Amino acid sequence: MSQITKELGERLRALRLSAGLTQEKLAERADVHATYVGQLERGEKNATVESVCKLTRALNADPATLFAHLPGAANQPAPADEIYQLLQACTEQEQRELLQLLAAIVKFKRG
């Protein structure tokens, strides 16, 4: 397995877990086989462009998020993208509380 394939799989796993999905649920949403998701996450298979699009759509993510942290990636994700990924794993109530906290921090910083 190549390093890129391994890192892509690790990134896919992280996004899946952040979304609170099992491999089976992600596979169902993406219309791929659960075994394939596992093979991708372990770096055993190379992802096709089609599968990347299906999986990221099922994760409500941009395909670029899978590649952003790979060696040589030109575009590192913007902080807002990273915040969005973290928020996806939160409940709606937690998101509301975090929004209030963030608003208070911004207000304090701006004086």
Side-chain angles (χ1 to χ4, degrees), residues 2-85:
S2 76
Q3 185 64 26
I4 290 176
T5 303
K6 181 182 175 192
E7 290 183 30
L8 182 73
E10 290 170 358
R11 183 73 177 138
L12 177 62
R13 178 180 289 120
L15 289 171
R16 176 179 61 77
L17 293 174
S18 289
L21 298 174
T22 63
Q23 287 180 349
E24 292 77 15
K25 191 65 175 175
L26 174 58
E28 180 183 313
R29 287 185 179 186
D31 193 29
V32 299
H33 199 281
T35 302
Y36 181 62
V37 173
Q39 291 170 328
L40 289 175
E41 288 187 0
R42 291 186 301 275
E44 296 171 355
K45 290 272 187 184
N46 286 315
T48 64
V49 172
E50 182 180 4
S51 65
V52 165
C53 290
K54 285 180 170 185
L55 290 164
T56 53
R57 191 174 312 120
L59 290 165
N60 295 321
D62 187 279
T65 60
L66 278 181
F67 301 98
H69 297 292
L70 295 178
N75 301 358
Q76 292 298 319
D81 293 334
E82 292 186 58
I83 291 168
Y84 178 74
Q85 290 299 321

